[in-house]
Amino acid sequence: MEAAASARGGAARPRASFEYVEGWGMAVGAHGRVLRPRSVEEVLACYEIARAEGTTLGLRGKGCSYGDASVNLGGHALDFTAMNRILSFDPATGIAVVEPGVTIEDLWQRTLPAGWWPAVVPGTAFPTIAGVAAMNIHGKNNFRAGTVGDWIVEFDLALPGGEVRRCSREENADLFHAAIGGFGMLGAFTRIVLRTKRVHSGDVEVTAARARNLREVMDFFEARKAEADYLVAWIDCFAAGDGLGRGQIHEARHLRPGEDPDPARTLSVAHQHLPTAILGVPKSEAWRALRLLNNDRGMRLLNAMKWRAGRLEVMKGPFRQAHAAFAFLLDYVPNWKWAYGRTGRRGLIQHQLFLPVATAHDAYVEILRRNQRSGFVPYLGVFKRHRPDPFWLTHALDGWSLALDFKVTPENRAGLWEHCAALTEIALEAGGKFYFAKDLVLRPGDARRMLPADKLAAFEELKRRLDPEMLLQTDLYRRVFGVQSGG
Ligand SMILES: Cc1cc2nc3c(=O)[nH]c(=O)nc-3n(C[C@H](O)[C@H](O)[C@H](O)COP(=O)(O)OP(=O)(O)OC[C@H]3O[C@@H](n4cnc5c(N)ncnc54)[C@H](O)[C@@H]3O)c2cc1C
């Protein structure tokens, strides 16, 4: 179906305001106008506004991308959070039809009581469905469940020219595979249909394990990946020598029918809520305590303590944990990122390095050593296993990823970017890839080296055809693809 819709001359006027729009990691942002459409007609009206004003539009969900993926210096932001209705959910099939600004949290709260859980979720519940589709996000189950795109059935894409095009694996298949993971450069998702996963309990069974170095972490994952539903490892990036890459692993599996004695209770939204206090401190204030530790010495200590405490968790054996508590660990401490500083271009960046099976171990060892030699030691390291998928610009591959959180200050900024460029080079030489949702450091040319040439050329051809005026732009697009502002 190709539903033509036009707002030309229509009365649809989106709400607008002037705001500071920043990347989630706070290290980048821009002042500008934010347009908040409430309907497809208003989305199309936004295109007309940008065209009439000779400016560009950067599409934005909840702004949970760490870097500049939804920042658009010099142009407007087109924010979808006011289009946030779940249009339908079928408890018999688990299929949901949503507007773009519905969040992961909105979705699971609707589906879980009926026994369905979003099949692929990030480490936070706040992103929108459009945002996760545009980045083709992965979860701790990427090796098993694929990326979110694998669960999307169809979507409507509002093209800059004013047409709304329906896309699926059968209809407009090229655009389907290009727009998922296409970081908002081809059009705006205005309606998304996705499958969720049947679950028989509101809990998963979690098993903790410790690995004394990176080789042991990888061996554990390989031994367990046929059985586990989820696998993730925290890596202590301060550990050196024989302990390089040591970490605490969490494996989880869904419960089978009958294993949960009271599924009606565990499937309730109330059962999923995260605790409101940590060690007696209201969660909303916990970031202040973390701020005291937010330096190299404090983080070395915190990582070492976590490693030691891990032994106790292993001893306690398998335990049950609510889906939300397991999946959205990073939401436990609201605004924990503020521990990195809230003003003056302070914050954090994440550099997530994806490497194929054959080269991963040695390249990660080199990367971890280089961090320590250069004095840029990540405060958090997270390790996952991935698999390839059919989306054109996907970051996923048959291999691994190591996500590294680096503190950014005005003083270390230039040196840190140089350091990340060196890490990027190691990964590219090893056949690696990067992830636009987490990026603020790639340079023009890096994307061309990591993406398949035919897919990139086809993507650029679609961009020229569907958006010849280059209405849709972001800082990320201009930085990584070397495009000049305004086209
Ligand atoms: C604490 C934390 C943990 C995370 N964990 C993970 C993880 O485990 N795995 C993972 O894969 N990611 C993870 N992420 C990244 C996050 O899932 C992605 O950045 C996601 O894209 C954010 O969605 P958003 O709604 O905030 O969109 P934004 O960040 O605002 O935008 C993301 C992209 O979507 C585009 N976009 C927005 N709306 C539309 C639309 N209507 N149509 C087309 N394009 C649009 C934007 O232009 C941009 O390119 C994490 C982020 C945080 C902050």
Side-chain angles (χ1 to χ4, degrees):
M1 178 198 112
E2 290 201 356
S6 171
R8 289 183 183 93
R13 290 297 295 180
R15 290 188 185 146
S17 54
F18 193 80
E19 292 173 27
Y20 182 65
V21 174
E22 67 180 4
W24 187 86
M26 305 171 295
V28 67
H31 287 97
R33 257 180 94 198
V34 180
L35 309 177
R36 285 200 175 78
R38 285 157 297 181
S39 64
V40 180
E41 289 68 32
E42 288 191 3
V43 173
L44 299 177
C46 291
Y47 291 162
E48 288 300 317
I49 290 169
R51 190 170 282 120
E53 294 179 4
T55 192
T56 60
L57 289 172
L59 308 186
R60 185 166 169 95
K62 273 281 168 109
C64 291
S65 295
Y66 276 64
D68 52 1
S70 56
V71 175
N72 184 24
L73 179 67
H76 299 338
L78 181 46
D79 176 316
F80 285 89
T81 52
M83 290 177 72
N84 58 358
R85 288 176 305 160
I86 296 177
L87 300 172
S88 68
F89 171 65
D90 182 347
T93 60
I95 291 181
V97 183
V98 301
E99 287 190 332
V102 166
T103 65
I104 295 281
E105 185 173 46
D106 299 333
L107 184 63
W108 77 252
Q109 292 198 349
R110 174 71 174 269
T111 63
L112 190 64
W116 301 87
W117 178 253
V120 174
V121 297
T124 170
F126 304 129
T128 63
I129 303 299
V132 303
M135 286 303 182
N136 193 25
I137 65 130
H138 62 266
K140 302 173 187 46
N141 55 356
N142 190 199
F143 61 97
R144 191 165 186 120
T147 51
V148 77
D150 287 311
W151 294 79
I152 293 177
V153 178
E154 71 173 34
F155 55 77
D156 290 349
L157 199 69
L159 304 176
E163 178 195 327
V164 179
R165 199 172 288 181
R166 185 150 293 179
C167 303
S168 67
R169 286 171 184 78
E170 295 76 38
E171 194 176 358
N172 297 310
D174 274 4
L175 193 49
F176 181 81
H177 289 97
I180 293 176
F183 59 107
M185 284 304 108
L186 301 177
F189 299 115
T190 53
R191 173 184 159 276
I192 298 176
V193 182
L194 76 165
R195 293 184 294 129
T196 57
K197 180 178 168 49
R198 171 58 95 194
V199 290
H200 304 283
S201 169
D203 288 339
V204 286
E205 185 182 87
V206 183
T207 308
R210 262 160 47 115
R212 285 168 301 182
N213 53 45
L214 189 67
R215 173 57 70 203
E216 281 192 12
V217 175
M218 294 172 88
D219 287 348
F220 186 96
F221 273 55
E222 287 307 81
R224 297 297 309 152
K225 77 179 193 312
E227 301 289 323
D229 288 310
Y230 302 90
L231 279 167
V232 64
W234 152 81
I235 302 291
D236 176 1
C237 295
F238 288 90
D242 292 345
L244 192 83
R246 74 181 179 188
Q248 180 84 352
I249 301 166
H250 287 109
E251 171 183 342
R253 70 169 182 90
H254 289 288
L255 300 185
R256 289 181 285 272
E259 279 191 285
D260 181 348
D262 192 0
R265 185 183 65 83
T266 61
L267 290 167
S268 71
V269 171
H271 178 72
Q272 301 295 317
H273 278 314
L274 303 176
T276 53
I278 302 165
L279 301 174
V281 180
K283 279 202 327 176
S284 56
E285 298 303 315
W287 66 270
R288 293 181 199 279
L290 279 181
R291 191 173 50 179
L292 302 175
L293 291 169
N294 197 269
N295 51 60
D296 285 357
R297 193 179 291 176
M299 283 296 157
R300 178 185 288 278
L301 179 71
L302 199 67
N303 274 273
M305 281 166 52
K306 189 167 157 53
W307 166 253
R308 293 225 164 74
R311 189 192 299 271
L312 298 175
E313 202 186 22
V314 173
M315 277 161 54
K316 104 176 163 190
F319 58 98
R320 291 194 180 176
Q321 195 172 26
H323 286 284
F326 177 75
F328 310 126
L329 187 69
L330 292 168
D331 294 346
Y332 255 87
V333 183
N335 296 317
W336 57 268
K337 64 177 181 174
W338 290 349
Y340 282 84
R342 294 174 64 183
T343 52
R345 285 158 59 88
R346 289 170 195 278
L348 72 157
I349 56 170
Q350 188 176 100
H351 201 31
Q352 186 169 10
L353 303 114
F354 290 74
L355 285 165
V357 169
T359 58
H361 177 267
D362 291 357
Y364 286 135
V365 164
E366 195 181 341
I367 285 163
L368 288 167
R369 285 200 183 124
R370 193 175 183 116
N371 289 337
Q372 295 177 359
R373 273 203 313 272
S374 65
F376 290 109
V377 183
Y379 289 176
L380 177 67
V382 176
F383 200 60
K384 294 186 195 136
R385 184 72 165 88
H386 301 272
R387 77 172 197 204
D389 59 68
F391 300 98
W392 288 8
L393 301 191
T394 189
H395 54 278
L397 43 59
D398 182 13
W400 307 82
S401 75
L402 178 59
L404 303 174
D405 284 12
F406 292 100
K407 179 172 181 165
V408 180
T409 66
E411 298 75 39
N412 82 355
R413 202 172 176 109
L416 177 58
W417 259 246
E418 280 305 313
H419 174 66
C420 288
L423 301 188
T424 303
E425 193 54 38
I426 296 171
L428 286 173
E429 282 295 310
K433 291 173 115 181
F434 298 89
Y435 182 21
F436 293 147
K438 304 288 183 68
D439 177 54
L440 194 57
V441 298
L442 289 183
R443 305 203 253 210
D446 292 338
R448 292 188 194 283
R449 286 173 68 192
M450 75 182 197
L451 294 168
D454 57 334
K455 292 287 187 287
L456 187 57
F459 184 85
E460 290 182 315
E461 161 56 20
L462 267 184
K463 174 76 177 164
R464 277 192 294 274
R465 190 145 47 86
L466 302 179
D467 187 15
E469 303 151 287
M470 302 280 262
L471 217 54
L472 302 182
Q473 296 194 24
T474 54
D475 285 14
L476 170 83
Y477 179 56
R478 290 187 287 267
R479 173 170 58 83
V480 172
F481 288 89
V483 178
Q484 297 299 309
S485 183

